[in-house]
Amino acid sequence: QKEVEQNSGPLSVPEGAIASLNCTYSDRVSQSFFWYRQYSGKSPELIMSIYSNGDKEDGRFTAQLNKASQYVSLLIRDSQPSDSATYLCAVNKETSGSRLTFGEGTQLTVNP
Amino acid sequence: EAGVVQSPRYKIIEKKQPVAFWCNPISGHNTLYWYLQNLGQGPELLIRYENEEAVDDSQLPKDRFSAERLKGVDSTLKIQPAELGDSAVYLCASSQIGADTQYFGPGTRLTVL
């Protein structure tokens, strides 16, 4: 079992729809959780971090964390073609500092 | 504030040749990471430095890969000799010591022929 698994893509949604990206992790001691966006040929860019159970909203993005189910998700509301990218889920097990384990990523395409 | 700087951006070499990548982290970031990213995969940690000390190099293939961060600022990752399977993007990231947010550089795309 991989430490971090993401729903297999590619995912395609129409412009204006909600895109839902999912991630599960295997290690219960995981402390913090991140979503990175990576455009083709570019480096990962941090878009959201979440540390406690529940929802965290930032503009059109909402991250959801359920530690009991070992599940983290990212919702993108009012999806735009510029949101088309690969979304990487990353998990940190350290209480101080950072050692990230990444999922394979989910490729999202938003169709105009 | 300048971001993480990496060079070169692209490198093409023949197998068995040596290659080196350079990274300069964000000013004030004591922790530096080197990752390998294969096509269609997430980044995989190769080595993590806190200042000049390599605190996590368990995933670094030490038979051909080496890294250094002599003055605790910029860092070099070397492969010698390169193999076909080393073709990938090599990413450098940095963070403040004790912090959990990492910032990535643009990466070096290596092609081994």
Side-chain angles (χ1 to χ4, degrees):
Chain A
Q1 182 186 9
K2 294 180 182 178
E3 284 193 58
V4 180
E5 296 201 55
Q6 296 186 236
N7 51 330
S8 59
L11 176 65
S12 181
V13 300
E15 184 174 356
I18 295 175
S20 177
L21 303 161
N22 303 315
C23 174
T24 58
Y25 58 95
S26 61
D27 196 331
R28 288 191 173 275
V29 303
S30 298
Q31 298 289 321
S32 48
F33 307 85
F34 303 84
W35 284 99
Y36 282 81
R37 177 176 62 200
Q38 188 171 27
Y39 292 114
S40 181
K42 303 296 185 182
S43 60
E45 171 193 13
L46 180 68
I47 53 172
M48 289 285 285
S49 59
I50 188 165
Y51 300 87
S52 54
N53 283 329
D55 295 358
K56 180 181 177 182
E57 186 174 320
D58 184 0
R60 295 185 296 109
F61 299 95
T62 300
Q64 299 174 317
L65 175 62
N66 183 325
K67 289 188 176 181
S69 299
Q70 296 176 236
Y71 175 91
V72 59
S73 67
L74 180 70
L75 299 177
I76 306 174
R77 290 182 302 282
D78 188 25
S79 295
Q80 301 297 308
S82 59
D83 295 325
S84 298
T86 294
Y87 289 81
L88 296 162
C89 172
V91 172
N92 179 30
K93 292 189 283 190
E94 298 198 352
T95 55
S96 177
S98 178
R99 191 193 193 286
L100 296 181
T101 301
F102 285 84
E104 292 186 350
T106 299
Q107 185 178 344
L108 171 67
T109 300
V110 181
N111 300 303
Chain B
E1 179 183 87
V4 177
V5 178
Q6 290 188 246
S7 68
R9 293 294 313 279
Y10 304 91
K11 189 73 176 180
I12 301 174
I13 61 171
E14 293 188 346
K15 63 181 180 181
K16 301 184 181 179
Q17 294 301 304
V19 64
F21 315 123
W22 178 80
C23 172
N24 193 54
I26 293 172
S27 178
H29 283 195
N30 303 88
T31 306
L32 183 147
Y33 312 79
W34 282 104
Y35 288 90
L36 169 112
Q37 186 174 25
N38 287 304
L39 188 65
Q41 304 292 314
E44 299 172 34
L45 181 70
L46 290 172
I47 189 168
R48 176 176 66 169
Y49 281 95
E50 288 185 2
N51 298 305
E52 58 277 351
E53 181 183 1
V55 297
D56 185 349
D57 63 354
S58 58
Q59 302 303 310
L60 188 71
K62 298 181 182 64
D63 56 337
R64 297 184 300 107
F65 287 67
S66 64
E68 59 183 18
R69 194 185 185 200
L70 295 176
K71 297 182 179 178
V73 180
D74 57 344
S75 175
T76 302
L77 177 69
K78 297 178 182 178
I79 308 175
Q80 182 170 11
E83 297 180 351
L84 295 176
D86 296 332
S87 295
V89 176
Y90 292 81
L91 293 163
C92 179
S94 70
S95 67
Q96 292 182 324
I97 201 162
D100 60 8
T101 300
Q102 297 183 25
Y103 299 89
F104 284 83
T108 297
R109 182 176 297 275
L110 174 67
T111 301
V112 182
L113 303 176

